[in-house]
Each structure stands twice: as C-alpha cells, then as structure tokens.
Amino acid sequence: MKPAPSFSLVARVLHWLMAVMILSMLFIGVFMASSLGPGYHRLVSLHRPLGIAILVLALLRLTYRLRHAPPPLPSDLLAVLKLAAKGSHILLYALMVALPLVGWGMLSAGGYPIPLWGNGVLLPPILPHNPAVWSWLRSVHTVLAFTLFGLVLAHIGAALFHGLIRRDGVLESMTGRKTPL
Amino acid sequence: MAAKSRGSSGSALRWLGVAAAPAALALGFLWAGGWLSPHRVTQNRLMGELHDAGSYGHGFRRAHSKGVCVTGRFDASGAAASLSKAAIFHEQSVPVVGRFALGAGQPYVTDNPATVRSMALRFMPADAPEWRAAMNDPPVLPLRDAQDASDFFSSQRIDPATGKPDPARAKAFGAAHPWLQAAAEKNAHRVITSGFADDTYHSLDSFLLVGETGTKTAVRWAMVPVQPVAPADAEAGGRDYLFQRLIADIHDHPLQWHMVLTVAGPQDAINDPSQIWAQDDRTIDAGTLTLNAVESEDGGPCNGLTFDPLILPPGIVASDDPILQLRSGAYMRSFSLRSGEKRGPSAITPAMTQAPAAESEKKS
Ligand code: HEM
Ligand code: HEM
Ligand code: HEM
C-alpha cells in the first residue's frame, strides 16, 4: 500500500495558516461593517494589518506554488470535477490577492490615512484621491468578500466530500495524514 | 455519483458531515453581519433612521448636509506640548482644511441660529500623520451610546401627516432616557450666538492625549472664538444668511479660535459624553486656529472626505466613549453612500463664496 502523495509541509502550513486568517477576516469584516459598537475601531484597526499580512502571504504562497506542483488529484475523479477544483483554486488565489488590494485601494481613493500599526505607521496610498472610486471600490470589496466566502464554503464542502464520501486521500493530502490508498 | 458507486460508504451521516460545516459557517456569518439580530443597531439601520428622520441623501452627507469649505492654519501655543506628542501641539503654521455646517440632514435647509452649527477640521502637518476633528456648538451631547442614538433618531422620524417629527415621540424619548435629561436641559439653555464666526465648537467626546513618555491625559476641547460674541438676531434673514455672513466675515478679516483643552478632573466621566464635566477643571490654551479663505463644497477641498473623529495622529487616542465608535462607523458609511450618488449643487455655490472684490474686478 503506497501512501497518497501529500502537499509539502510548506504548502500545508501556508494553507492552514491562511485558512484561519481568511476566515477570521471574513467574520471580522461583516461584523465590523455592520457594527457601531464598542469594538468597531479596534476591529477595523485589526482588519487592515491582517488583510495586508494575507496579501503578503498570498504572494509568497503563489510564488512557492508555481515552483512546486501539488500532488495530482485522483485519476478516477470526473473531468468536470477536476476542472471545478482547478478553477476554484485559481479563483481562491485571485481573491486572496485582490481583496486586500481593493481594501487598500479604496481607503486610498477615499483620502483616508491607512494606519498599519498604531496610528504612526501608515501605508502609502496606492490610488489617487477620488471619492467616486472610493465608493465603487467599497462595494467591490463587499462583493468580492462575499464571493470569497461562498467559494470557501463550497471548497470546504468539497474537501469534506473527498474526505468523508469518496475517501480518496485528497483531504489527507492537505491535512498531512498519510493514509493508504 | 462517485459516492453511489462506492455503495454503503455514502451513508446519510457522512453526507450530513459534509453539509454541516459549511452550513454552520454560513449561519455564523449571517449572525456576525447582524442579519439574525434585528435589534442590533447596525450601520445600515442607523442610516435608515437618519433617512426616515428627514436626511436628504442624494450625494449629500447624511447629517450636517449644508456646509462650506474653509482653509487656514493652526499655530500651537506649546502649552499642551508636554501632554501630547502630536505634531499639532508643537508646530507652527500647520495647514488646515475645514468645513462649517448646519447639523441638519437637509442640504437646502433655511438657516436658523437654533440649528446645531458645526466646525470640522483636518490638520495636516507636513511631517506627521493628519488629524481630523468634528465639533458641534451645543456644550454637551444628550446621547450616551449607540442605542441612545438609534432611539433618538427613530424618535425624530418624520410624520408624513405633518412633515415634521411627532412631538409625542420626542417626549417619549425623553421620558425613556432620564439619564440624558441634564444634558438636554443644559443644551436647551445654551447661549445662541449670531453666526458661525462667534460660535464655540465642542469636541463633546473625550480623547486621551499621549505624552512623549506615554502619560495619558483625558481631555475634551472647545474652539473658542477670538471674535466678539453677539447674541443671535431676533429676526432671521434669508435662506443662507448665516453662511453669507460667514463668507463676508472671512473675506473681511481672518477668523480665529483658541483651542481650549479641558483636562478631566477626578469626578469627570470619560466614557460618557452626556455627562457634564466639573466647572473647575484645568483648561489649557493649546493654540490658535486662523481661517482666512472660504470656498463652496462644490469643487472645494472639504467634500471628498469625511471628518471621522477616529482619524487621529500619534499623541491622541480614542477614549472608551462609545459614541466615538458609532461616529467612526456612521461617517464611513455616510461617506461611501454619498460618494456613489449623483449630487445636485450645494446651497452655497462657488459664486456665493467669491470675494466681493473679485466680483467687482470681473465686472469692470
Ligand atoms: C483577505 C483580505 C480581506 C478580507 C477577507 C476582507 C473582508 C472584508 C469584509 C467581509 C468586509 C465587510 C464587507 C461588508 O459587509 O460590506 C470588509 C470591510 C472592510 N474592509 Fe476588508 N477584507 C480584507 C482586506 C482588507 C484590507 C487590506 C483593508 C484595508 C487596508 C480592508 C479594509 C476594509 C474596510 C475599511 C472595510 C469597511 C468597514 C466598514 O464599512 O465599517 N480590508 N472586509
Ligand atoms: C479560508 C479558507 C481556505 C482557503 C482560502 C483555502 C484555499 C485553498 C487553495 C487555494 C487550495 C489549492 C492548493 C493548490 O493546489 O495550490 C486549497 C487546497 C485544499 N484545501 Fe483549502 N482553503 C481553505 C480552507 C480549507 C478547509 C477548511 C479545508 C478542509 C476542510 C480545506 C481543504 C483543502 C484540501 C483538501 C485541499 C487540496 C485540494 C487538492 O488536492 O486539489 N481548505 N485550499
Ligand atoms: C451621536 C450620534 C451622531 C451621529 C449618528 C452622527 C452622524 C453623522 C453623519 C452621518 C455625518 C456625515 C458624515 C459624512 O458623510 O462625512 C456627520 C457629520 C458630522 N458630525 Fe456627526 N454624528 C453624531 C454625533 C456627533 C457629535 C457628538 C459631533 C460633535 C462633537 C458631531 C459632529 C459632526 C460634524 C461636525 C459633522 C460634519 C463634518 C463635516 O463638516 O464634514 N457628530 N455626523
């Protein structure tokens, strides 16, 4: 019995670290954007650096991914499902990069100072001051965040489908438990 | 399909496992966004309440909708330098962009001296992060937290029959919020001055000044006019007369205010803007604001931004006053809504803010 090939340790650590960060960000995001309560400012102040950290990690992760091919999907998986897996992964990567960039860009266009840490360390603006662009990107941030959340739900459903229904070693390739095929 | 081909392994329980995790997350997400808690005071709900209380919208600020831009500078006195490391308390000639406004949510409202007047400022030191401050002229805020604010604005809902808020609702709000009575009475008995130039504007909320060594000092502040104070005229003027007077004043001579900090005494409530502070608190004249130019919002420098009171430089931090949190969230939401809408001209047009001399030059 040959153990199923796994994602490398680096890939797995990045995947799980970022999974926790991104899910936290999605929950912090919807909570704060509806909130007027005592934690509002603290959450926004956490949302910015955490989002920028995701941007940096996503870029590192993409660079790493382009040099290290992932283990192949099971050969008996339907071609459409393979395509769906591939497409959704590309979209997940795209959103991990786009969402923080939109967040940063919208605050730039809104003429906001963008504190990264405390109120002394600021990010430079990446877009010129333009209130109409600010408003548009603020909506784009919501739409992309909700898309990402929907995709993550489908992704988790698919991972559990592999793990519990098909039991084909795909989930284990990411959790790192080497199970016999 | 894949599951069926594997026979017994596709049991209902396993499928439940597959569905449960995403479903639980989705529920949590809905809860976090407030969709499952209709009583939570959310940003959208507050915007709705402002709208129902007569806020005009259509590209204008959801509150303080009628205003003009001003520019000038701030010169620190140095007297607050030991309390805060913020550049503003140390430097001279810090550029300032500001906005005077009426507190109402209607951009074409007729000027009335009894309407709340406001001064908003953006301090932009060359070598340090900026500071934004928005101040009102009543001396104390008869609201304690987000729930109070939501209750208040819903009590101001416009009755379609009269086109005005129902006085019975306003009364019911007062009766249900006895802790706000002292503040409401203080505001009802405030001195109403003749215009924007001789008015005093209050931070209302408390902030903490942070010194070089990390010392924290709770303060409120007021912009106190250098201009002599006159009581409001018995008879009101035309639709824009308060703004016209301000424009004429600035063209005539620079307008000045002292920024007077009030340091919290041991009995003063830091986390509740509805509490009046002791009368014998230490005050510090932190510097002088000089405003020497006025422009319409249309094309002016004060419209494409929001004076979020939590845009603070190093040396000033928010206190645990809950109204500050509410304002920060509400201003961002108002700013994003209005920036995406088609907007008519401001009541105070560029033609109105021109210097009289410039106009006569053009004519000649
Ligand atoms: C992966 C990264 C990010 C995720 C998953 C994320 C997610 C979210 C979500 C779900 C919301 C709430 C949207 C709504 O309900 O309308 C939100 C709002 C927001 N995000 Fe992000 N975001 C990310 C990165 C950033 C970054 C890098 C910044 C800024 C530098 C940022 C700034 C904001 C701001 C200012 C809001 C609006 C808060 C409010 O309306 O009160 N985000 N984000
Ligand atoms: C915010 C949350 C998450 C994000 C953004 C995310 C993102 C990704 C991405 C981009 C990949 C593709 C890796 C590659 O081929 O380069 C991946 C793979 C994978 N993820 Fe996630 N993930 C998240 C959460 C989860 C969770 C909670 C699970 C488990 C329940 C999971 C299980 C897996 C598995 C099993 C794979 C391997 C799929 C394959 O071999 O093609 N992920 N994930
Ligand atoms: C307590 C409930 C309050 C609510 C719901 C509220 C709401 C708002 C909103 C929605 C705006 C428009 C923001 C924009 O679109 O840029 C605004 C502007 C303003 N608020 Fe408040 N506010 C509150 C309290 C206060 C307090 C306590 C002060 C003063 C100390 C204040 C001073 C101002 C000023 C000066 C402006 C106008 C800023 C400008 O000229 O652009 N507000 N407020």
Side-chain angles (χ1 to χ4, degrees), chain B residues 239-257:
Chain B
R239 186 190 78 170
D240 303 319
Y241 84 103
L242 288 176
F243 284 98
Q244 279 160 339
R245 186 174 289 172
L246 170 70
I247 292 162
D249 284 349
I250 290 200
H251 285 312
D252 189 51
H253 55 88
L255 299 178
Q256 291 194 308
W257 281 263

Side-chain angles (χ1 to χ4, degrees), chain B residues 155-178:
Chain B
S155 79
Q156 295 295 106
R157 188 161 83 208
I158 300 293
D159 181 346
T162 61
K164 286 198 166 68
D166 177 355
R169 277 174 170 272
K171 231 172 139 189
F173 172 82
H177 300 76

Side-chain angles (χ1 to χ4, degrees), chain A residues 25 29 32 40 47 99-100 103 106 138 141-142 145, chain B residues 43 332:
Chain A
M25 277 295 278
M32 73 184 191
Y40 175 76
H47 190 85
L99 205 48
M106 76 192 187
R138 177 64 188 81
H141 196 67
T142 302
Chain B
Q43 296 186 11
M332 179 179 272

Side-chain angles (χ1 to χ4, degrees), chain A residues 53-151:
Chain A
I54 289 172
L55 174 63
V56 171
L57 285 175
L59 293 175
L60 287 175
R61 182 169 168 189
L62 271 174
T63 317
Y64 180 85
R65 169 70 168 76
L66 293 177
R67 285 151 193 241
H68 300 81
L73 283 166
S75 50
D76 65 339
L77 196 64
L78 280 180
V80 274
L81 290 187
K82 277 190 184 162
L83 203 68
K86 212 169 176 169
S88 64
H89 292 164
I90 292 174
L91 215 56
L92 283 170
Y93 281 127
L95 287 171
M96 280 178 221
V97 174
L99 205 48
L101 280 177
V102 169
W104 184 357
M106 76 192 187
L107 292 176
S108 309
Y112 278 93
I114 312 170
L116 196 58
W117 204 249
N119 48 7
V121 186
L122 303 190
L123 284 175
I126 51 171
L127 286 177
H129 185 191
N130 182 331
V133 172
W134 137 254
S135 177
W136 182 73
L137 287 179
R138 177 64 188 81
S139 307
V140 170
H141 196 67
T142 302
V143 171
L144 292 187
F146 285 30
T147 308
L148 175 59
F149 185 64
L151 214 57

